[in-house]
Amino acid sequence: MSSSEQIIVIPKIYKVFGVIALFYSAILIVMAIYNQFFYVDGTWFHGFTANGFAVFSSFLWIIIMFFFKRFLNNVINYKKANLLINFYMIFLVIPAILMGIVMYKSVNLYFSLQDPVGFNTLSAFAISSFLSIALIFISNGINILFCILLGNNFRKIDVVEQTLFRILGFVFIVYGIVEFLIMFVIENDTLHFILRAILAILVGLIIRKIYGMDYTKLNLQLESKKVYKADKLKQKIKITELPSAQKENDVKSFTQSNKTYEAEKKEQMIFEIAPIVNLDEIENKEQVFSYYEKLSDSELKRLRIIIESKYGKNLSEDQKADLIKHYIGMEKLYDHQRFLPK
């Protein structure tokens, strides 16, 4: 079975984490409502609830982003965001661990006090070192930058579900900007919860929509995008390698050749049945055979691509050789003067 005929089977674990991302978004919305209308600043219970949820939320978001990265790698073969996602997760882990340590110490201290009523959130942070607080602040600041970079990366994904990826990218950018404002200007975390909830919804929707696609259609989309990008890259390399002093006629010939190649690529969807070739009937047989024997590797490869694009790849080597010779004879490739005026 050729690569274009392989069927992608998406592991069910990704569907599960798509559901988890949507469930996580619902929790964030509930927390946004709590933070806006019920949170009382300066009290130990509300401070413990808010900080405890921050730790839980960070670790769950890290897990969702990890599986989203794996989904991008394994399902749509997109790996350009790997480094950014890795750094983003690292700088989420650092403040989450430090916040967890603060929470653990504050609980122990709270239950050891004679009068725990006066113990508030500020007291909880006071038992932590200045270095821990500084690391939390720096990590959050670095993650603002990675949010913006990730957003710019995600919005350019055009392999599948382009609209959702574009929206995800722009929301990540807005999320980064809002996080910056929360650190220095806005003294309210409600927007943080709402925007992360939107991000979780978009991640969940992307996973579920791609998971729910017809596998054959998904495979065709991915393969066609690969072929398109490979062709664009080849064309760019060839144009770059052209000598600066090349004549205008050579440039036109090259352009025409590329157009012909693009037209041939579009016709690959339906292959013709390979004919039975009688080499004895080829005109100027000796010249054809001599030309075939002297073909360079690059020219032979080009002719093989032409034959495979017309008749498919499931041909024996002898069939391909005969069809190439037949093609050389039909197109009179051995005649270097065929384009001269008659």
Side-chain angles (χ1 to χ4, degrees):
M1 183 179 288
S2 66
S3 61
S4 61
E5 294 172 333
Q6 292 174 357
I7 294 178
I8 295 173
V9 178
I10 305 176
K12 199 169 183 178
I13 186 70
Y14 295 123
K15 181 182 179 182
V16 171
F17 271 90
V19 174
I20 290 174
L22 295 173
F23 178 71
Y24 174 59
S25 68
I27 296 175
L28 286 167
I29 291 170
V30 171
M31 194 62 191
I33 295 171
Y34 162 78
N35 187 75
Q36 185 65 32
F37 300 106
F38 302 101
Y39 177 74
V40 180
D41 193 18
T43 61
W44 184 86
F45 173 77
H46 289 278
F48 177 81
T49 303
N51 294 327
F53 180 79
V55 175
F56 164 77
S57 174
S58 293
F59 280 112
L60 185 54
W61 184 234
I62 289 166
I63 294 170
I64 291 170
M65 288 302 297
F66 172 78
F67 275 93
F68 186 56
K69 184 190 79 169
R70 300 269 300 175
F71 181 82
L72 294 177
N73 290 349
N74 300 333
V75 177
I76 67 173
N77 198 29
Y78 186 83
K79 300 179 181 179
K80 292 181 181 179
N82 280 2
L83 193 60
L84 288 174
I85 295 176
N86 288 341
F87 277 115
Y88 178 63
M89 290 190 295
I90 289 170
F91 287 103
L92 280 174
V93 167
I94 293 171
I97 291 174
L98 294 173
M99 283 286 293
I101 293 171
V102 170
M103 294 296 301
Y104 175 76
K105 288 180 179 179
S106 70
V107 170
N108 284 343
L109 185 58
Y110 179 81
F111 287 109
S112 68
L113 292 175
Q114 295 278 337
D115 181 22
V117 177
F119 189 78
N120 55 29
T121 36
L122 187 59
S123 304
F125 272 100
I127 65 174
S128 182
S129 68
F130 175 78
L131 179 61
S132 296
I133 297 171
L135 280 174
I136 292 173
F137 186 82
I138 292 169
S139 297
N140 288 337
I142 292 173
N143 257 345
I144 289 170
L145 175 62
F146 281 116
C147 282
I148 294 171
L149 292 175
L150 266 176
N152 189 53
N153 190 290
F154 286 149
R155 73 181 181 82
K156 295 177 182 177
I157 298 178
D158 60 351
V159 180
V160 66
E161 293 296 339
Q162 295 96 324
T163 302
L164 281 177
F165 274 113
R166 194 174 295 117
I167 295 171
L168 178 66
F170 283 119
V171 174
F172 249 112
I173 292 171
V174 173
Y175 178 66
I177 295 170
V178 170
E179 287 289 283
F180 175 82
L181 294 175
I182 289 173
M183 280 185 70
F184 298 104
V185 181
I186 305 172
E187 295 183 1
N188 192 308
D189 289 335
T190 304
L191 277 176
H192 161 84
F193 294 123
I194 292 173
L195 285 172
R196 186 177 281 188
I198 294 171
L199 289 174
I201 290 170
L202 288 168
V203 168
L205 281 177
I206 288 170
I207 292 175
R208 287 184 61 80
K209 273 186 169 289
I210 296 176
Y211 184 89
M213 286 181 67
D214 179 81
Y215 294 151
T216 306
K217 181 181 176 183
L218 174 60
N219 188 60
L220 283 173
Q221 280 189 248
L222 297 178
E223 287 296 323
S224 63
K225 184 61 69 173
K226 266 193 232 173
V227 170
Y228 173 76
K229 288 183 177 178
D231 290 345
K232 292 291 286 183
L233 180 60
K234 286 179 184 177
Q235 185 175 348
K236 184 177 180 181
I237 291 171
K238 287 179 181 178
I239 290 172
T240 304
E241 290 176 350
L242 280 174
S244 58
Q246 184 136 1
K247 293 181 182 179
E248 186 179 347
N249 287 340
D250 292 334
V251 175
K252 287 182 179 178
S253 174
F254 174 80
T255 306
Q256 186 62 37
S257 173
N258 272 314
K259 286 181 180 177
T260 304
Y261 177 73
E262 291 293 335
E264 288 171 353
K265 291 297 287 183
K266 289 179 182 176
E267 293 173 359
Q268 282 186 24
M269 297 303 293
I270 302 175
F271 298 123
E272 298 179 16
I273 299 174
I276 299 173
V277 177
N278 186 352
L279 297 178
D280 293 328
E281 296 179 357
I282 296 177
E283 185 181 355
N284 299 319
K285 173 184 169 184
E286 297 301 326
Q287 288 179 281
V288 170
F289 276 48
S290 175
Y291 181 84
Y292 176 81
E293 294 297 331
K294 296 175 182 177
L295 282 174
S296 64
D297 290 342
S298 60
E299 179 63 10
L300 181 60
K301 186 177 179 181
R302 187 184 75 85
L303 293 174
R304 285 173 68 91
I305 290 173
I306 292 173
I307 295 303
E308 289 175 355
S309 69
K310 191 172 183 182
Y311 303 113
K313 294 183 179 180
N314 298 325
L315 299 171
S316 67
E317 293 301 317
D318 289 339
Q319 281 180 303
K320 289 178 183 179
D322 289 348
L323 288 167
I324 288 172
K325 291 171 185 175
H326 181 261
Y327 181 82
I328 291 170
M330 293 294 294
E331 298 295 325
K332 299 188 184 297
L333 300 183
Y334 57 86
D335 183 4
H336 299 292
Q337 297 182 345
R338 63 188 183 279
F339 293 123
L340 294 177
K342 301 295 183 180

